[in-house]
Amino acid sequence: MANEKSKGISGWNEYVKPYQAESKFWFGVWQAAGRPREGELFILQRNAHMQYKYSIRRLKRAKSQILQDKFTQKLLNGGGDILQEIKKFRGQSTTISNCIDGEVGAQNIADHFQEIYENLYSEHTLGEDFDKVQQIIQERVHHGLQDDIDKVNHQSVKDALNKMKAMKSDAVFDFSSDCLKNASNKLIDHVTILFKWFLATGKIPAFLLLCTLVPIVKDNLDDIATSDNYRAIAIGSLILKWFDWLILILNSDKLTTDELQFGFQKLASTTMCSWGVNSVVDYYNRAGRTVYACAMDLSKAFDLVSWEVLFSELLERGVSPLALRCLLFIYSNQKCNVRWGNAFSNTFNVKNGVRQGAVSSPVLFCIYIDKVIKLLRCSMIGCQIQGVYMGIWVYADDIILLSPSRTGLQEMVKICENFAKATKLKFSTNIRIEKCKTKCLIFSKERVNYNEITPILLNELPLPFVNDLKHLGNVLQSDNSMTIDCNKKRAIFISKIHSLNQEFYFNNPDVILKLYNIYCCSFYGSSIWDLSSQCASKLYTAWNTAIRILFNVPRDTHRYLIESISQCLHVKTMLASRCVSFYETIEASSKLCIRFLSNLCKNDLNTVLGRNLFYIANDCFVNLSDLSKMLVKKQMKYFDVPLDHAWKVPILQELLNTRMNNLYVEGFDDYMITEMINMLCNE
């Protein structure tokens, strides 16, 4: 009990301490009497101890109810990030370790991380090539100087501000991006002049170039006392981010990448990239051909970018010399420090990598590795469908190679290896195969004996062959099905439902629904699942069970009542809606490869997409051309309520609302309401 008292439970002295004192008293008497196991004294001692324990439980329940009520009110009023509020309610505050790699104390840990990051960002030395790049930029600055400055006007500066995300903090001044947006009318004139000055002089004030790195845990289930389990997030100047957006807008036509790059682009996503890989593999497998794949893992890719290579590429693309001069000044003069708790390390210089926290960094990185896509495209090694090259699929630094032969895949890996050496990047390899992050997989309808396959070599080390691998949050399998992915996310769904039911039992129905929709129903990647598969059917059954649990209705409640009782979309309708929404996205894509695959798949019932669209259109009683996300939500039902049972629905909803909100109804108690619910559900 000392542990409970140390937590400082409110009301302990008033509601628990008297029972604790009485329990101690009778325990002392019982002990002095020789600890009898029967008789009146034994009963008195036992009852006193039980009363003491019961008082603790009662106090905890009362405290939990108060917290739950506060949480409920916050959700109903639409306040805060729901996932963060759930963590607070559970007491899962983001704590930091007091020992990292043997270093103890906030200041020592901050200094330790500073040493790690300083070594990482100083891995490349700036040589003569970088000096040549600087010289070329300076020579080009005076050509078209005024034209570039004139492009900085009220509209372009305002467009740049609109691109900034809300609720972002400034590392230098005590304000957020919302403050800038709200005060934009008064700031635009001044900021426009300021940005013109930046471009004209090529200089940025030093205080805007300071960036604070905050290490955060990658995986809470892993060891939080080791620095390898931490990644740094950066907090920089919002004014500099604003200027960064302006540079991107003014040079948008020069900063394009290959269509097989899906990272940080409009109308492109991780799901689209995964679907593209699945579709190519499916095309080859249905033709009786095997596909050899390699998921390439770049180690600390963003941090190891060479400035010479990056700026040379930007010069080649014809990016504005004034913008390049500003970027060059920012990169050459940026300083970083590390924050751990309330402790700050000393500042240090950075000599490689794209800037942490900068909005231009993802775009610049995609440009940096764009050449490897072009190299493979020019080589024409890898998978092709009717002359359209689809041998490499990239999302930022996630690269997957596809080839119809093992030798072809080996050549592709060799091209990537040579590219990495030229650009000073590193692919993750390891002598111990189980620790190697770059992996190979063979997509085939037949079972493959990996022992008979000559291994693929990267940096003269063999790469492991696996039966499945994680790609952009989805699980790719050798049979090209999504069963593992679907089953895994179904298990997570069930786990979250049980957790939700335990913590919010008999809560407000609106709260239950809100938590259910946001917390439980993510189903990431479900847009490309086979909705007619056995895995999907198991998910539909799990959903029925979940709703029965959440609303505390009998297990044998008719299935046609479930959707109506919950007042939310059945999971089948939800997945169908997501599938149609994804289909609309790929149809609107500007990428040739995606539109080409879409045309191949949408009318073919042998493909997952074609099969899904066919079943959805049939369930909605419309043609494929008429399908839309809103139509699916409106017309698709898992089970229709029979007309002679429709009267039950409003009565059940009213009874459930009464019970879950603990409303008083004269003449009815909880037992009678529950009996009425059970009768209507089972009738």
Side-chain angles (χ1 to χ4, degrees):
M1 267 353 298
N3 188 38
E4 296 291 350
K5 288 170 55 180
S6 68
K7 292 181 181 179
I9 298 178
S10 178
W12 177 276
N13 291 335
E14 185 177 357
Y15 299 105
V16 179
K17 199 168 182 178
Y19 294 101
Q20 184 188 32
E22 189 174 355
S23 177
K24 283 183 177 180
F25 170 77
W26 285 110
F27 180 80
V29 174
W30 174 71
Q31 191 175 35
R35 300 182 177 233
R37 291 294 173 183
E38 57 185 14
E40 187 178 356
L41 188 58
F42 172 72
I43 294 171
L44 285 170
Q45 181 270 335
R46 187 183 62 182
N47 289 342
H49 182 71
M50 289 175 65
Q51 283 291 332
Y52 169 48
K53 291 291 185 182
Y54 177 71
S55 68
I56 295 172
R57 289 197 298 270
R58 185 171 57 190
L59 184 62
K60 283 184 170 181
R61 280 199 298 269
K63 183 184 177 183
S64 178
Q65 188 60 51
I66 292 170
L67 290 173
Q68 190 177 122
D69 291 343
K70 287 182 179 178
F71 178 77
T72 298
Q73 287 303 316
K74 199 159 190 176
L75 289 191
L76 290 175
N77 295 331
D81 183 338
I82 290 183
L83 295 179
Q84 290 298 324
E85 292 301 327
I86 291 174
K87 285 185 178 180
K88 288 179 185 177
F89 175 76
R90 292 174 171 173
Q92 299 174 347
S93 57
T94 52
T95 57
I96 57 177
S97 176
N98 57 3
C99 179
I100 302 291
D101 296 341
E103 297 289 339
V104 181
Q107 189 59 57
N108 291 335
I109 293 173
D111 294 339
H112 178 60
F113 273 110
Q114 178 213 329
E115 186 180 350
I116 293 172
Y117 294 139
E118 190 172 7
N119 291 334
L120 176 64
Y121 294 127
S122 303
E123 189 156 325
H124 301 161
T125 54
L126 300 174
E128 294 181 2
D129 291 338
F130 188 62
D131 294 336
K132 289 178 182 177
V133 171
Q134 286 181 302
Q135 188 177 349
I136 295 170
I137 292 172
Q138 290 294 341
E139 290 172 356
R140 293 185 183 181
V141 159
H142 301 291
H143 300 286
L145 178 65
Q146 193 57 48
D147 290 341
D148 288 340
I149 294 175
D150 289 342
K151 290 178 182 177
V152 181
N153 50 44
H154 285 66
Q155 189 58 49
S156 61
V157 173
K158 194 171 183 178
D159 291 343
L161 179 60
N162 292 334
K163 290 280 189 179
M164 290 179 66
K165 292 183 180 178
M167 304 295 292
K168 292 294 181 182
S169 303
D170 189 276
V172 182
F173 303 107
D174 189 18
F175 63 82
S176 70
S177 55
D178 292 345
C179 297
L180 294 177
K181 289 175 180 285
N182 293 331
S184 60
N185 291 333
K186 296 185 181 291
L187 287 175
I188 288 293
D189 288 341
H190 304 289
V191 174
T192 302
I193 294 171
L194 180 66
F195 287 172
K196 283 188 175 188
W197 184 83
F198 285 176
L199 281 174
T201 61
K203 295 182 179 180
I204 314 290
F207 65 88
L208 295 179
L209 302 179
L210 178 64
C211 179
T212 298
L213 302 177
V214 183
I216 61 171
V217 177
K218 292 180 184 176
D219 186 358
N220 287 313
L221 300 177
D222 207 345
D223 186 7
I224 63 169
T226 177
S227 58
D228 291 337
N229 193 28
Y230 286 81
R231 63 181 180 88
I233 60 169
I235 304 172
S237 166
L238 290 177
I239 299 296
L240 197 58
K241 286 185 179 181
W242 193 347
F243 183 62
D244 234 11
W245 271 119
L246 180 67
I247 288 176
L248 290 179
I249 290 172
L250 296 180
N251 295 276
S252 58
D253 58 327
K254 305 290 194 306
L255 300 176
T256 58
T257 55
D258 193 282
E259 67 165 14
L260 290 171
Q261 169 66 260
F262 290 79
F264 314 106
Q265 296 183 20
K266 195 175 181 181
L267 294 178
S269 63
T270 53
T271 304
M272 187 181 288
C273 187
S274 290
W275 174 78
V277 172
N278 283 348
S279 299
V280 174
V281 170
D282 181 62
Y283 180 87
Y284 272 80
N285 284 171
R286 284 189 292 112
R289 300 180 67 184
T290 299
V291 175
Y292 295 79
C294 182
M296 309 288 289
D297 182 80
L298 279 167
S299 179
K300 299 189 182 295
F302 284 74
D303 302 325
L304 294 179
V305 167
S306 168
W307 293 354
E308 300 103 64
V309 179
L310 174 62
F311 282 96
S312 296
E313 179 64 26
L314 294 175
L315 273 171
E316 223 176 281
R317 288 170 172 261
V319 176
S320 165
L322 291 183
L324 283 180
R325 184 173 67 172
C326 286
L327 284 175
L328 195 62
F329 184 88
I330 294 169
Y331 271 78
S332 302
N333 295 277
Q334 62 181 325
K335 291 187 179 294
C336 296
N337 62 3
V338 179
R339 189 186 79 197
W340 186 265
N342 294 322
F344 289 83
S345 74
N346 295 326
T347 59
F348 59 92
N349 295 318
V350 178
K351 295 180 181 177
N352 53 254
V354 289
R355 285 187 299 132
Q356 285 281 346
V359 295
S360 61
S361 294
V363 177
L364 296 180
F365 179 80
C366 289
I367 288 170
Y368 191 79
I369 66 167
D370 196 51
K371 190 166 283 186
V372 73
I373 306 175
K374 289 181 169 59
L375 288 170
L376 287 167
R377 189 186 286 278
C378 291
S379 71
M380 295 303 287
I381 305 171
C383 290
Q384 301 176 51
I385 300 178
Q386 299 179 16
V388 180
Y389 184 77
M390 298 184 186
I392 180 171
W393 296 79
V394 186
Y395 190 94
D397 60 336
D398 284 284
I399 301 172
I400 189 163
L401 308 176
L402 303 176
S403 173
S405 68
R406 195 212 71 84
T407 54
L409 184 64
Q410 179 64 78
E411 289 181 43
M412 295 174 78
V413 169
K414 190 66 180 178
I415 290 172
C416 291
E417 181 185 327
N418 293 334
F419 166 78
K421 289 177 181 177
T423 55
K424 302 181 181 180
L425 295 176
K426 296 178 182 177
F427 284 107
S428 177
T429 55
N430 201 297
I431 297 175
R432 297 175 63 182
I433 290 179
E434 65 274 12
K435 289 192 174 184
C436 184
K437 293 183 180 180
T438 300
K439 299 174 181 178
C440 296
L441 185 146
I442 300 176
F443 294 100
S444 177
K445 294 295 183 183
E446 301 176 356
R447 182 177 284 276
V448 178
N449 186 357
Y450 292 122
N451 295 324
E452 298 177 355
I453 305 292
T454 307
I456 302 294
L457 300 179
L458 174 62
N459 297 327
E460 299 181 358
L461 294 175
L463 298 177
F465 279 97
V466 294
N467 289 315
D468 58 81
L469 56 86
K470 196 170 182 179
H471 177 247
L472 301 175
N474 302 298
V475 180
L476 301 179
Q477 297 173 237
S478 57
D479 61 356
N480 200 33
S481 69
M482 302 290 289
T483 54
I484 293 177
D485 195 60
C486 187
N487 287 334
K488 182 180 178 182
K489 286 160 187 174
R490 176 170 59 88
I492 293 171
F493 169 73
I494 295 170
S495 173
K496 286 183 175 181
I497 286 292
H498 283 294
S499 173
L500 189 63
N501 182 55
Q502 289 173 4
E503 294 174 307
F504 300 97
Y505 185 68
F506 279 123
N507 206 308
N508 186 298
D510 293 335
V511 172
I512 294 291
L513 285 177
K514 200 167 186 178
L515 288 171
Y516 162 79
N517 287 323
I518 295 176
Y519 176 61
C520 301
C521 293
S522 61
F523 298 121
Y524 177 79
S526 59
S527 308
I528 58 178
W529 293 351
D530 187 351
L531 302 185
S532 62
S533 66
Q534 188 178 4
C535 295
S537 298
K538 288 180 180 178
L539 180 59
Y540 306 153
T541 305
W543 187 88
N544 292 335
T545 305
I547 296 299
R548 293 185 182 108
I549 291 171
L550 284 181
F551 289 86
N552 193 32
V553 295
R555 291 184 64 182
D556 52 352
T557 301
H558 292 297
R559 287 184 292 180
Y560 59 73
L561 289 174
I562 299 295
E563 192 171 357
S564 302
I565 288 173
S566 66
Q567 301 182 50
C568 62
L569 288 176
H570 194 284
V571 70
K572 182 179 180 181
T573 307
M574 185 195 305
L575 297 184
S577 172
R578 291 183 182 183
C579 179
V580 172
S581 178
F582 176 72
Y583 168 67
E584 291 172 349
T585 304
I586 62 177
E587 284 287 280
S589 175
S590 60
K591 297 181 180 293
L592 172 65
C593 58
I594 293 298
R595 292 203 313 274
F596 179 78
L597 288 173
S598 174
N599 290 331
L600 280 179
C601 296
K602 66 182 180 182
N603 295 313
D604 189 349
L605 294 182
N606 292 318
T607 65
V608 171
L609 178 64
R611 191 160 50 248
N612 284 347
L613 293 175
F614 175 78
Y615 286 130
I616 295 169
N618 275 357
D619 286 346
C620 295
F621 305 102
V622 295
N623 295 321
L624 179 60
S625 57
D626 298 326
L627 267 184
S628 68
K629 182 178 177 180
M630 296 305 297
L631 181 72
V632 171
K633 288 183 177 181
K634 185 179 178 181
Q635 291 194 207
M636 193 173 183
K637 296 285 183 184
Y638 188 58
F639 278 101
D640 288 319
V641 180
L643 291 175
D644 56 335
H645 289 260
W647 61 272
K648 294 181 182 179
V649 174
I651 299 173
L652 273 170
Q653 288 175 348
E654 191 69 29
L655 289 171
L656 287 168
N657 192 53
T658 301
R659 185 176 66 176
M660 296 180 78
N661 281 309
N662 293 316
L663 301 177
Y664 174 73
V665 182
E666 189 174 354
F668 293 89
D669 56 18
D670 287 344
Y671 176 78
M672 293 178 65
I673 291 173
T674 300
E675 284 297 305
M676 292 172 66
I677 291 171
N678 293 344
M679 182 187 68
L680 288 169
C681 289
N682 296 329
E683 191 179 54

